[in-house]
Amino acid sequence: MTSHPSVARTREELALARARLDGPVAVVMTMGALHAGHVQLVREARKRADAVIVTIFLNPLQFGPNEDLAKYPRTLDEDLRLLGEEGVDLVFAPGPDVVYQDGDPLVRVSAGHLGEVLEGASRPGHFDGVLTVVAKLLHLTSPGLAFFGQKDAQQLLLIRRTVRDLDFPVEVVAVPTVREPDGLAMSSRNTYLTPFDREVALVLSRALRAGEQAASEGASAIRRAARDVLAAEPGCRVDYLALVHPDTLDDVAEWYRGEALLAVAGRVGPTRLIDNVPLVVGAEERR
Ligand code: PAF
């Protein structure tokens, strides 16, 4: 039988428990409702660190007024059971009053223009909210390593920039997206999908796959291949399909050759989903 990991709910409990952890410490930050993607983050973290801290904090600052904060899945008992099985050393599961002890913070981390495109265009202020809590949780947990999923590619890029631009003493490690056998990217929001919507949602990973398969033919062919797949599924209302440079998030030109990110966001029923694949424009597909 596995036991729950030790759980800190206050800053004081965290500081005491953190002081007892030796060697390189890794953090995996989550908003709970854990799935196989989070488990993979924890497993990668355990390979590199002597101790792993998982934070579970549903961060109100990164949700817009019309977003799903109130109905976001909360599964703390199940999350703790899972993290116990994975041998996590410490879970920090604070409430909003612990993280934002003076209420909404007056001073925040600004994502700048990289936070205004793609996800940021649909979710104004989202990335400022993400980066502000990530900065606070890095300070509170003081890890040497921090693991984030490639599934949230724009978030990952912005966290890398925060760490670099603001000199956080931590190494950011990216972990590839975990997918269901049929291609659906793991996401806590998948629990919102009805069986019908779930079938429709597969169009996102199918479109990315089609784009990948056209990688050797150049940017226009990649965009066209992915767009054609999306167009054939009217049940998904596409927010954006973008082929961008992985560091600048600028659209790549037709003549571009090199690393790129093919990213998509769409609404299936009431659920907004995102997905992406890194690819090399102009290169034969990797098998
Ligand atoms: O990716 C997430 O779950 C969240 O954006 C994060 C990084 C835990 C910050 O709240």
Side-chain angles (χ1 to χ4, degrees):
M1 212 182 79
T2 51
S3 57
H4 278 184
S6 97
V7 181
R9 291 184 177 277
T10 65
R11 287 166 178 253
E12 295 71 26
E13 287 170 6
L14 174 65
L16 277 175
R18 174 67 185 84
R20 285 196 290 266
L21 299 179
D22 284 331
V25 171
V27 71
V28 172
M29 296 182 192
T30 80
M31 297 200 298
L34 304 185
H35 50 66
H38 296 112
V39 168
Q40 190 60 26
L41 292 174
V42 169
R43 290 185 180 167
E44 292 301 320
R46 286 198 67 190
K47 285 186 201 160
R48 294 274 313 271
D50 285 356
V52 176
I53 305 176
V54 172
T55 66
I56 299 181
F57 177 59
L58 192 48
N59 175 34
L61 219 59
Q62 69 190 73
F63 287 79
N66 300 317
E67 294 185 10
D68 55 347
L69 175 62
K71 69 166 185 151
Y72 198 87
R74 290 158 169 87
T75 56
L76 186 62
D77 279 348
E78 177 57 17
D79 293 347
L80 293 178
R81 191 195 57 74
L82 199 64
L83 296 176
E85 273 176 20
E86 293 301 322
V88 164
D89 299 272
L90 174 61
V91 174
F92 182 42
D97 52 328
V98 169
V99 175
Y100 301 115
Q101 42 191 357
D102 300 318
D104 276 0
L106 201 58
V107 177
R108 301 173 188 214
V109 178
S110 162
H113 73 273
L114 283 182
E116 287 164 11
V117 296
L118 303 180
E119 280 307 281
S122 301
R123 308 184 67 188
H126 168 68
F127 287 113
D128 293 1
V130 170
L131 298 182
T132 301
V133 84
V134 167
K136 287 170 74 73
L137 293 172
L138 286 176
H139 286 314
L140 290 168
T141 57
S142 49
L145 299 154
F147 287 71
F148 294 94
Q150 174 69 34
K151 155 79 173 23
D152 295 300
Q154 188 174 8
Q155 166 175 289
L156 173 64
L157 170 65
L158 281 162
I159 291 170
R160 283 193 189 289
R161 288 305 303 249
T162 305
V163 163
R164 187 175 168 79
D165 294 353
L166 303 181
D167 295 306
F168 280 80
V170 64
E171 180 189 342
V172 174
V173 184
V175 177
T177 303
V178 179
R179 296 181 181 279
E180 303 270 10
D182 58 10
L184 187 71
M186 296 282 180
S187 164
S188 304
R189 289 188 169 93
N190 290 350
T191 58
Y192 300 152
L193 297 170
T194 63
F196 179 80
D197 287 349
R198 196 190 170 291
E199 276 302 303
V200 173
L202 291 176
V203 73
L204 299 175
S205 53
R206 271 206 315 274
L208 297 178
R209 183 85 193 112
E212 272 185 308
Q213 282 166 339
S216 64
E217 297 161 47
S220 301
I222 296 169
R223 289 186 174 109
R224 193 169 44 244
R227 224 176 11 235
D228 287 352
V229 172
L230 292 170
E233 179 46 271
C236 175
R237 298 184 308 288
V238 179
D239 186 355
Y240 60 79
L241 170 74
L243 182 66
V244 296
H245 190 281
D247 298 333
T248 63
L249 303 184
D250 289 336
D251 284 330
V252 302
E254 221 169 291
W255 46 261
Y256 177 81
R257 294 286 179 270
E259 290 187 3
L261 188 71
L262 182 61
V264 67
R267 218 168 257 283
V268 179
T271 309
R272 190 168 179 284
L273 297 170
I274 60 172
D275 199 355
N276 71 83
V277 284
L279 47 74
V280 181
V281 181
E284 289 303 323
E285 198 198 351
R286 275 169 298 188
R287 302 246 162 233

